[in-house]
Amino acid sequence: MLKTILWHSSMLESKNIKISEEVLKAIRNVPRHEFVPQKLVKYAYKDRPLAIGFGQTISQPFIVALMTELLNISDTSVVLEIGTGSGYQAAILAEMGVNVYSVEIIPELAEQASKVLNTLYPEIKLRVGDGYFGWKEYAPFDGIVVTAAVDHIPEPLTHQLKAGGKIVIPIGSPYTVQELIIVEKKINGDFILHQILPVRFVPLTGDH
Ligand code: SAH
């Protein structure tokens, strides 16, 4: 799997993106098989998304590595994740020493993820709710990673991001292909958008 990630990362060199050693180390250290259903464990270390129930997926490790890299964070960062799903992306961030807050809209998935995370990374804070509105009580965040597709940038998240921070988010039609975008908040409060590559995520649901 690591080989695949390195292969993909050489593709990104034209965009000046390299997956850092810190991120690769976290990918190596987090036991992905703990986050996939029993019957799919044999595929846990393949570089592909897998079904986790309720029509949702655990993302492909390469995409998790890429989104983590693009957040440009350190072990003192506070990061909000929208779409806990299996808990794998949250685990990667926690493994890097990041202070992680994660919101999931499907209670059963949140419950499933919390069982795994309570053992491996009990410091991660989880909440059931519509992540479109972020997690105001703990804002502002150094980075926000949205792991479900939406056709616009959720405005509440832009307010919950620190100046200098980044939102990494798949933007586009939730039912086809999206573009992975970095929304960078400048010190003066302006936003700059960087388009990275086409991705395919499950839709961000909820009443917004
Ligand atoms: N980060 C996850 C990937 C999960 S797939 C992982 O590492 O496994 C996307 C997740 O987003 C699904 O679990 C889905 O239920 C959740 N989701 C969709 N809309 C949401 C919303 N409005 N708020 C919070 N979570 C949402």
Side-chain angles (χ1 to χ4, degrees), residues 52 56-59 64 81-90 103-106 109 129-132 147-148 201-206 208:
I52 54 170
Q56 308 303 323
T57 53
I58 175 173
S59 305
V64 174
E81 178 194 26
I82 307 305
T84 314
S86 68
Y88 180 67
Q89 169 77 76
V103 185
E104 169 58 50
I105 204 164
I106 300 177
L109 278 180
D130 187 346
Y132 184 92
T147 66
F201 275 83
V202 295
L204 189 82
T205 58
H208 43 257

Side-chain angles (χ1 to χ4, degrees), residues 20 25 62 82 94 138 140 159 166 188 193 201:
S20 63
K25 198 171 148 208
F62 165 65
I82 307 305
Y138 296 100
H159 297 306
K166 290 176 175 163
N188 67 6
L193 270 53
F201 275 83

Side-chain angles (χ1 to χ4, degrees), residues 2 5-6 8-10 12-13 15-28 60-75 77 79 88-89 92-94 96 98 142-147 164-169 180-184 194 196-197:
L2 191 58
I5 289 179
L6 291 172
H8 278 295
S9 61
S10 70
L12 291 169
E13 271 168 24
K15 290 182 186 285
N16 270 330
I17 299 166
K18 271 215 177 84
I19 307 291
S20 63
E21 192 46 45
E22 287 82 358
V23 174
L24 288 175
K25 198 171 148 208
I27 295 272
R28 270 185 228 117
Q60 177 190 352
F62 165 65
I63 293 295
V64 174
L66 175 60
M67 291 175 90
T68 306
E69 183 67 39
L70 296 175
L71 282 171
N72 204 234
I73 36 154
S74 74
D75 59 6
S77 302
V79 170
Y88 180 67
Q89 169 77 76
I92 294 290
L93 290 165
M96 292 173 68
V98 169
D142 296 294
I144 300 177
V145 58
V146 181
T147 66
K166 290 176 175 163
I167 302 176
V168 177
I169 180 168
L180 191 61
I181 303 280
I182 306 176
V183 182
E184 186 183 352
H194 309 264
I196 307 301
L197 48 73

